[in-house]
Amino acid sequence: MNAYEIIRRPVVTEKSTIQKEENNQLTFEVDKKANKVEIARAIEKIFKVKVLDVRTSTVNGKFKRRGRVLGKRRDWKKAMVTLAPGARIDFFDGV
């Protein structure tokens, strides 16, 4: 897998924004088969920053009902990446 297949998208929530400002941590949705080493290398390659730590968790999809039909959202994996002091990744510059 190349780096762009491992990193799917950034997770932008209120909690991830607070973590970014206070702890220099970013949250990404990643491929379910990727491990911590692959995730760290992909972030360093794509964004040209130094990664100190990677924490991962698998998020189970919620069951949702649409009328009588019961469906399930997909399961996904998220990675919380801690960057080196002074390193920054800005997704929404000038917004």
Side-chain angles (χ1 to χ4, degrees), residues 4-5 7 12 28 43 47 66 69 73 92:
Y4 292 97
E5 291 174 347
I7 307 300
V12 181
F28 294 94
I43 295 291
F47 297 107
R66 195 173 279 223
V69 179
R73 291 184 181 170
F92 303 111

Side-chain angles (χ1 to χ4, degrees), residues 25-50:
Q25 290 182 339
L26 296 165
T27 306
F28 294 94
E29 179 182 339
V30 296
D31 187 77
K32 284 173 58 172
K33 293 177 247 166
N35 61 33
K36 293 181 180 186
V37 176
E38 293 172 338
I39 294 168
R41 287 182 185 158
I43 295 291
E44 289 176 348
K45 181 179 179 183
I46 293 171
F47 297 107
K48 312 269 190 289
V49 294
K50 176 72 176 149

Side-chain angles (χ1 to χ4, degrees), residues 17-89:
T17 305
I18 292 169
Q19 284 181 332
K20 179 180 177 185
E21 294 169 358
E22 293 180 357
N23 302 328
N24 206 18
Q25 290 182 339
L26 296 165
T27 306
F28 294 94
E29 179 182 339
V30 296
D31 187 77
K32 284 173 58 172
K33 293 177 247 166
N35 61 33
K36 293 181 180 186
V37 176
E38 293 172 338
I39 294 168
R41 287 182 185 158
I43 295 291
E44 289 176 348
K45 181 179 179 183
I46 293 171
F47 297 107
K48 312 269 190 289
V49 294
K50 176 72 176 149
V51 174
L52 295 181
D53 186 37
V54 177
R55 293 182 298 148
T56 61
S57 67
T58 303
V59 180
N60 293 322
K62 296 179 179 179
F63 286 96
K64 293 292 183 177
R65 179 179 298 277
R66 195 173 279 223
R68 293 189 305 184
V69 179
L70 184 65
K72 183 179 181 291
R73 291 184 181 170
R74 64 184 178 84
D75 298 338
W76 57 287
K77 186 174 190 177
K78 73 177 172 181
M80 287 72 69
V81 179
T82 304
L83 301 178
R88 288 181 53 103
I89 298 175

